[in-house]
Amino acid sequence: MAAGSLLLLLDDIASMLDDVSLMTKVAAQKTAGVLGDDLALNAQQVAGVPSQRELPVVFAVARGSLINKAILVPSALAISAFAPWLVTPLLMMGGAYLCFEGVEKLAHSWLHRREKQPEAESLAAAGASVSGPIVDPDIASVAGIELNPAAAGVVEKSKIKGAVRTDFILSAEIIAITLGTVAAAPFLQQVVVLSGIALIMTIAVYGLVAAIVKLDDLGLFLSQRRAAFARTTGRVILAAAPWLMKSLSVIGTIAMFLVGGGILVHGVPPLHHALQATVGSGELANLLPNAVIGLLAGVCVYAAVMLVKRLTRRRTAVSAA
């Protein structure tokens, strides 16, 4: 009798593991697109970090990503159980924030470059060294000046915080997509699949990011080998690595609009159906509309934020007067 009960228990466990494996596979396929965006965004976020600090920064962001998912998985399960109507609005808020971040990056790059150029030129002409604890890294970059350890530490912490903040939005989308895949499954299976996907995605993304940021070191290592093939491969990698990082920076910014716009489009069913009727239902066909909507949404949020900041500064100045 006991043996029969044990066999039934083992059969139930095996059946559950099969279901979990199948649901995990389906969820991984559905979140693969977000994985690509996550990779591009995070590789972009750690670009520009000194070589010896690249892996510590990647590991710090990965640790932050695990903390994000440790918060998101139980939160998603609780929201799904008690307030499922909240999932879409929260995702849309995250999507709007991603679009805002994308526009903020563009504005910072385009609008402030001219303002920084004269200051950078004067620093470079004077041969000044950047010694203050807080220095704008863009000015130092344009001037060709290295940041001192204190200033570099501030920049590094800022990059880590920005990467973890962006990861939170992308992780939320991954968890939400996975939750939709396992919505009809028993609670235990939901927990196992969500936790498994969270761990797999974190390892996959940050393992690849670590490999990408150390490509130049690999190229240098190979270029110093005695074998002709290794030296040639190393030179090719060294030549390609800067272009790859620049490309990932551009792709990462575009990905913000693609992911954010996609979240917003899916959150407004009439808009989603209208786009499907116009451009089709394929993922590739929706890339451009999602990007355009993401850009427009980002501009609107950015304009609103700038207006609030201006009004706040004006009110503060009036109060001080």
Side-chain angles (χ1 to χ4, degrees):
M1 193 72 177
S5 299
L6 178 61
L7 288 174
L8 284 174
L9 176 61
L10 291 174
D11 185 60
D12 289 342
I13 292 173
S15 177
M16 187 191 78
L17 290 176
D18 285 341
D19 291 340
V20 166
S21 176
L22 179 60
M23 285 186 289
T24 303
K25 182 179 178 181
V26 172
Q29 290 173 344
K30 288 188 175 183
T31 54
V34 184
L35 174 67
D37 296 330
D38 205 354
L39 173 62
L41 284 170
N42 283 290
Q44 172 209 1
Q45 294 278 19
V46 299
V49 174
S51 178
Q52 69 273 17
R53 295 297 304 161
E54 286 173 341
L55 288 183
V57 167
V58 171
F59 292 146
V61 179
R63 184 169 60 249
S65 178
L66 285 173
I67 293 172
N68 284 342
K69 292 178 176 70
I71 296 169
L72 287 166
V73 169
S75 299
L77 290 167
I79 291 172
S80 176
F82 301 109
W85 54 270
L86 262 179
V87 174
T88 298
L90 289 174
L91 269 178
M92 291 184 71
M93 287 174 60
Y97 178 77
L98 269 182
C99 297
F100 162 74
E101 268 207 325
V103 171
E104 190 177 40
K105 285 181 181 294
L106 293 178
H108 184 77
S109 175
W110 293 346
L111 300 179
H112 298 298
R113 175 63 67 174
R114 290 181 179 178
E115 297 174 9
K116 296 181 192 310
Q117 190 70 34
E119 186 175 346
E121 288 175 355
S122 63
L123 280 172
S129 62
V130 179
S131 57
I134 300 178
V135 175
D136 191 321
D138 292 332
I139 295 176
S141 175
V142 173
I145 298 172
E146 280 192 25
L147 298 176
N148 73 357
V154 172
V155 173
E156 181 179 303
K157 289 179 181 178
S158 175
K159 281 182 173 289
I160 291 171
K161 286 181 181 178
V164 172
R165 196 165 53 239
T166 301
D167 175 272
F168 189 89
I169 307 300
L170 292 169
S171 295
E173 189 183 11
I174 289 171
I175 298 302
I177 292 171
T178 305
L179 189 62
T181 304
V182 299
F187 180 76
L188 180 59
Q189 292 185 17
Q190 291 184 14
V191 173
V192 174
V193 173
L194 283 170
S195 303
I197 285 292
L199 189 60
I200 290 168
M201 288 298 179
T202 303
I203 293 172
V205 168
Y206 292 100
L208 286 171
V209 169
I212 288 170
V213 299
K214 300 309 289 181
L215 266 181
D216 51 352
D217 290 344
L218 174 63
L220 182 62
F221 173 79
L222 291 175
S223 67
Q224 295 172 342
R225 299 303 93 191
R226 298 182 64 180
F229 177 76
R231 288 201 306 273
T232 303
T233 304
R235 292 192 193 104
V236 170
I237 292 174
L238 283 173
W243 291 100
L244 175 62
M245 293 308 295
K246 288 179 182 178
S247 299
L248 284 173
S249 179
V250 174
I251 292 169
T253 303
I254 294 172
M256 287 183 171
F257 299 123
L258 289 173
V259 175
I263 293 173
L264 294 174
V265 168
H266 282 85
V268 184
L271 179 59
H272 185 214
H273 297 323
L275 284 177
Q276 283 190 328
T278 305
V279 300
S281 58
E283 288 294 327
L284 289 177
N286 286 307
L287 287 180
L288 182 58
N290 287 350
V292 171
I293 290 169
L295 178 60
L296 293 174
V299 168
C300 292
V301 177
Y302 182 81
V305 170
M306 291 300 103
L307 178 61
V308 170
K309 284 184 176 180
R310 181 171 297 180
L311 292 174
T312 303
R313 282 198 299 266
R314 185 176 298 174
R315 186 175 300 173
T316 303
V318 171
S319 300

